[in-house]
Amino acid sequence: MIDMSELLCDPDFCEEFTILRKSGDWINRRWVETEEAITVTGVATSVNSKDFDMLPEGDRVSGLRVFYTNTELHGSSDTATADICEYRGSKYRIFQVFNYSNNGFYKALGRLVGGV
């Protein structure tokens, strides 16, 4: 397999953005949530027609961004809250993650929080 992770660290392609990751524990029968800010290097770009083909809502979506990074991103699940990527002053909630870790990266689609 070709390892693409080198491109994610190449200053010609990448930039820094922040992943806001929430976690929590039950303490004295109360859910206590904490948020961790993780600064990563990667590529953030707009969606293309191939990305739209993967989405059931297709042409009705707006405010989407694609994130490529060698740090695993998390979408919503039964056990976790979705990561939020903060990029150029806007926040995008991750709703779909593609695991290409065999090639050295993860691809995630994020929807603008409180957006369009």
Side-chain angles (χ1 to χ4, degrees):
M1 295 275 181
I2 297 173
D3 186 355
M4 303 290 289
S5 61
E6 221 176 280
L7 290 173
L8 297 176
C9 299
D10 187 326
D12 291 333
F13 298 105
C14 71
E15 54 192 310
E16 285 187 348
F17 54 90
T18 304
I19 299 170
L20 303 173
R21 182 166 293 160
K22 293 183 180 182
S23 61
D25 280 317
W26 289 99
I27 299 174
N28 295 329
R29 293 179 277 166
R30 293 188 109 182
W31 180 253
V32 179
E33 192 170 70
T34 58
E35 184 175 83
E36 178 183 9
I38 306 165
T39 302
V40 298
T41 301
V43 176
T45 186
S46 56
V47 297
N48 60 34
S49 61
K50 290 181 183 179
D51 295 322
F52 278 124
D53 289 343
M54 293 184 229
L55 302 174
E57 55 267 26
D59 60 348
R60 290 181 287 142
V61 295
S62 57
L64 295 181
R65 188 151 301 271
V66 181
F67 297 92
Y68 297 91
T69 181
N70 54 13
T71 302
E72 184 176 7
L73 295 165
H74 302 135
S76 289
S77 69
D78 294 340
T79 58
T81 304
D83 287 341
I84 294 178
C85 287
E86 190 170 21
Y87 174 73
R88 293 188 179 180
S90 297
K91 293 181 179 181
Y92 299 85
R93 182 178 311 281
I94 299 302
F95 67 92
Q96 190 160 13
V97 179
F98 301 93
N99 182 346
Y100 299 118
S101 58
N102 288 344
N103 298 98
F105 70 99
Y106 296 86
K107 175 182 177 179
L109 297 172
R111 182 175 288 118
L112 190 60
V113 175
V116 189

